[in-house]
Amino acid sequence: MLSIEQATRTLRKLLKRVEGTESIPIEEALSRVPQGSISAPIDLPPFRSSAMDGYALCGPPEIEPGSRFRVCGESRAGHPYLFPLGMGQACRVFTGSAIPENTTAVVIQEEVKHDKSSIVVLQEVNTNDNIREQGTDIRKDQPLTLGYEALSPYTLSWLAACGIEKVEVVRKIKVAVFCTGDELRDPGESLGEGDIYDSNRMSLKLLLRRKPVELIDLGKLADDYDQIKTKIKSVLDEVDLVITSGGVSVGDADLVRPVIEDIGTLEFWNIAVKPGKPFAVGRLNDTMFFGLPGNPVSTIITFLMFVEPSIDILSGLPWQTPARFRAKLVEHISHRAGRAEFQRGYVVNDIQGLKVQPTGDQSSHRLGSFSRCNCLIVIPAHRDNLHPGEIVELYLLPGCRNLV
């Protein structure tokens, strides 16, 4: 069996970014990976502007209290005052509006006294006070993104502020998904004796929604060697990645692994992790194959730890596992050294810091162990039992932000 570290190293050697890009509108580019650096086409802000509602002043470097200025106009957002200020002149300005040429500083409106055509400054004002200089956010031709990180809402807003309409991004990863098992039924179908509902395919499809993928759902397949082989071969020229749940262990009905060994290359099988030991990785010509275990929890854990980071690499990103942090364990955890384990946990943040406890029975068939779960408790392979009060490492589950 490979350790988690050995499996990760092997995967990273096998994977490379896909070829091909597409140009898409920025409103469709969330979580996509840009093809190279994106540079600013303009200065941002594109002009000197006021940081406050107030008055633009033309005066000496230090404007003393009691100084009087004649108001000669007004500059609103989108409606700038187009004339230079002369010494002793002021212009009414608003937050974000362009300030006239020759502006020394902006005084906020609460710090002036008005009469009909002039103002008196009540507080000292110094050069460049309350002024946003042109290009203070970014200068033209400077990089907005370096090209090796997914586009976030914040970066896309920055691109929009620079007037960028479209971006060139790495194309979507094409992924085929299926599950195997004669006993599987879709939700809504009637259950026969010994049947169960298929949840693994649903888990995979929902988890894949967070990634830049184009999904082909091959459905649930019977435990039939020829059907599995035909279905996989039918998509090899279309997809970058085939993901299956079930059929990769050593039972008589576990037929996926033999199919992969027949039509491709099995790179490794079995990893020293709990849950998720019967995890298989192979190559089918230029297509990667991931055979995930059939137990529902094992499917989710191996997806998060190995499949999701692999999709990141295919998309042009670095290998990224879930965010790590540390917390104090509040319950005993039984563990026998030999395999690393990921227990479902619930972490809270109280006045004494982060505290975590497992979510009950950790059997690999129990999707209920994810109820109230917001993290995975990492138990190293060399450790035996963990005791209350120990500091343990956690992985924050994707989408779980609030530690209450």
Side-chain angles (χ1 to χ4, degrees), residues 277-291:
K277 175 185 172 184
F279 173 67
V281 171
R283 291 196 66 86
L284 309 170
N285 297 326
D286 294 328
T287 301
M288 288 293 299
F289 168 80
F290 287 93

Side-chain angles (χ1 to χ4, degrees), residues 53-309:
D53 291 350
Y55 292 85
L57 308 176
C58 180
E62 294 181 0
I63 300 170
E64 297 180 352
S67 300
R68 181 178 292 273
F69 291 82
R70 183 171 60 85
V71 179
C72 60
E74 180 180 89
S75 182
R76 292 181 176 270
H79 302 279
Y81 182 75
L82 299 177
F83 305 98
L85 294 181
M87 186 65 67
Q89 289 185 326
C91 178
R92 181 75 164 111
V93 292
F94 299 88
T95 303
S97 65
I99 57 175
E101 187 179 342
N102 296 338
T103 295
T104 304
V106 171
V107 59
I108 63 175
Q109 60 188 16
E110 295 86 355
E111 295 179 354
V112 300
K113 182 179 179 181
H114 306 260
D115 60 27
K116 289 185 178 180
S117 60
S118 65
I119 59 170
V120 175
V121 176
L122 302 178
Q123 301 287 338
E124 181 178 309
V125 184
N126 295 301
T127 300
N128 292 329
D129 280 357
N130 302 311
I131 291 177
R132 296 171 179 167
E133 295 291 346
Q134 180 174 333
T136 50
D137 196 359
I138 194 166
R139 285 288 186 182
K140 182 180 178 181
D141 297 329
Q142 286 184 333
L144 292 158
T145 174
L146 299 177
Y148 50 78
E149 54 190 1
L151 292 169
S152 69
Y154 322 109
T155 301
L156 289 169
S157 297
W158 205 18
L159 268 58
C162 289
I164 294 173
E165 180 186 11
K166 291 187 173 183
V167 288
E168 190 78 14
V169 297
V170 178
R171 68 165 174 82
K172 289 185 175 181
I173 309 304
K174 299 175 182 177
V175 181
V177 172
F178 69 91
C179 291
T180 62
D182 291 342
E183 77 282 11
L184 297 179
R185 297 294 178 266
D186 286 328
E189 294 182 334
S190 298
L191 289 181
E193 191 70 29
D195 292 340
I196 59 171
Y197 288 118
D198 174 20
S199 65
N200 290 353
R201 206 163 92 255
M202 177 65 71
S203 296
L204 292 173
K205 290 192 291 184
L206 292 175
L207 289 166
L208 284 165
R209 279 186 188 178
R210 299 182 300 105
K211 311 304 291 183
V213 304
E214 182 180 317
L215 180 64
I216 299 175
D217 183 3
L218 299 178
K220 59 184 190 300
L221 306 184
D223 291 319
D224 180 275
Y225 182 92
D226 292 331
Q227 182 186 20
I228 295 170
K229 181 177 179 179
T230 299
K231 206 68 167 178
I232 292 176
K233 292 182 71 174
S234 72
V235 297
L236 287 187
D237 293 334
E238 303 176 43
V239 300
D240 306 295
L241 180 59
V242 174
I243 305 174
T244 180
S245 176
V248 293
S249 193
V250 293
D252 292 341
D254 290 313
L255 302 173
V256 175
R257 186 166 62 90
V259 168
I260 300 307
E261 292 174 317
D262 181 16
I263 64 175
T265 302
L266 190 67
E267 298 290 345
F268 66 81
W269 172 67
N270 273 7
I271 52 175
V273 64
K274 179 182 179 181
K277 175 185 172 184
F279 173 67
V281 171
R283 291 196 66 86
L284 309 170
N285 297 326
D286 294 328
T287 301
M288 288 293 299
F289 168 80
F290 287 93
L292 278 56
N295 279 317
V297 174
S298 302
T299 292
I300 293 171
I301 297 295
T302 51
F303 179 91
L304 293 174
M305 299 309 301
F306 298 105
V307 181
E308 188 169 68

Side-chain angles (χ1 to χ4, degrees), residues 340-351:
E341 183 173 357
F342 297 99
Q343 290 210 1
R344 280 67 68 205
Y346 181 67
V347 61
V348 297
N349 189 14
D350 64 19
I351 194 170

